[in-house]
Amino acid sequence: MQLLISVTNAKEAQSAVDGNADIIDVKNPSEGALGANFPHVIRSIRQQVLPELPLSVAIGDAPYKPGTTALAALGAAACGVQFVKVGLYGTKTTHQAVILLKEVCRAVRDYDATIKIIAAAYADAHKIGAFPCLESPAVAAEAGADGCMLDTAGKGGTSLFSYLGNGELNQFVLNCHQRDLICALAGSLNKTDIPRISVINPDIIGFRTAACDGDRIHGVIKRQRVELLKNLIKATDVSHK
């Protein structure tokens, strides 16, 4: 599994790099689970991070506005990233989810066909009226996206495992891999969740709060915390070989 660490600025990005994160993810948690950060911040982080280290960027808990979302995706692509994540927050149906993702894919790939599009769905979708998360691999594949992530919209003491069990998450990972999609799991996960996640075996596991000294909005990413998460992932990967 690769370790994704969500950061908010260049200083945090450096701490994530020093802690051996595999993917640096840029977001703005004050604007939501997949809150979008500012272009100048993304560019400053891209300058801070070595070119060979992948940079991911969230473009928001997107409403069903395909034009607006596609334009945001293009803006993120122009900042020198390798992954663009879009939250299926305002999409209610399969048709809406496919249309939104298709337009994002087209906007980004017309600019740079190597950038990967990740459809992020919410494990607590039923609470916010969003598209059902376990159906996201099918719509991502139909739209031509490159991967799927599960996250949680709410961050008030719940996590991914508050809404989905091992069986459902195993099926989600299988559904992704059967469609040749990258599979990522996140959602207020903690270091103690790593052994459980490793059995489910997604390609990527994402953290912010667990890597912070403080909460997800006001806390600061610390190298030691990132390093601990990385070492725990390495240990569980070895134990399952």
Side-chain angles (χ1 to χ4, degrees):
M1 292 186 299
Q2 290 188 301
L3 172 62
L4 176 149
I5 297 293
S6 295
V7 305
T8 63
N9 55 51
K11 184 177 180 181
E12 285 195 338
Q14 190 59 54
S15 296
V17 171
D18 293 343
N20 295 314
D22 298 297
I23 301 170
I24 308 302
D25 177 58
V26 188
K27 66 167 59 171
N28 178 7
S30 65
E31 290 195 4
L34 290 158
N37 215 316
F38 300 97
H40 71 89
V41 173
I42 300 168
R43 288 194 297 268
S44 71
I45 293 172
R46 179 71 281 175
Q47 292 168 0
Q48 180 86 18
V49 175
L50 292 173
E52 57 266 28
L53 191 62
L55 194 66
S56 163
V57 63
I59 62 168
D61 296 316
Y64 181 61
K65 293 186 177 181
T68 299
T69 309
L71 190 58
L74 176 59
C79 293
V81 305
Q82 283 69 49
F83 297 92
V84 173
K85 296 189 307 180
V86 54
L88 300 177
Y89 193 98
T91 54
K92 309 296 184 185
T93 66
T94 296
H95 176 74
Q96 288 183 347
V98 170
I99 292 297
L100 184 82
L101 288 171
K102 276 187 175 179
E103 294 301 336
V104 166
C105 289
R106 179 175 180 175
V108 171
R109 290 181 182 142
D110 282 351
Y111 176 80
D112 184 343
T114 68
I115 297 174
K116 299 187 186 307
I117 309 301
I118 307 298
Y122 304 89
D124 49 351
H126 61 285
K127 297 181 72 173
I128 59 173
F131 183 77
C133 65
L134 297 179
E135 297 178 27
S136 58
V139 300
E142 184 177 346
D146 300 284
C148 288
M149 169 178 267
L150 288 185
D151 204 331
T152 55
K155 303 293 182 181
T158 58
S159 76
L160 180 69
F161 288 114
S162 301
Y163 304 103
L164 299 171
N166 282 35
E168 292 167 306
L169 292 171
N170 275 314
Q171 189 61 49
F172 174 79
V173 172
L174 179 63
N175 288 342
C176 286
H177 289 163
Q178 286 177 336
R179 294 170 170 84
D180 294 322
L181 297 170
I182 299 165
C183 180
L185 297 181
S188 298
L189 297 173
N190 210 323
K191 63 183 181 181
T192 56
D193 294 315
I194 290 175
R196 186 174 177 183
I197 290 284
S198 69
V199 175
I200 298 167
N201 198 31
D203 303 301
I204 298 166
I205 180 172
F207 296 93
R208 175 162 174 80
T209 306
C212 277
D213 182 8
D215 65 34
R216 58 183 288 272
I217 295 178
H218 304 292
V220 177
I221 297 291
K222 294 297 183 181
R223 176 193 61 79
Q224 297 90 339
R225 289 176 176 264
V226 176
E227 197 168 49
L228 174 61
L229 293 169
K230 179 68 173 181
N231 289 337
L232 288 170
I233 290 170
K234 281 183 178 179
T236 55
D237 281 349
V238 169
S239 70
H240 285 101
K241 286 183 179 179

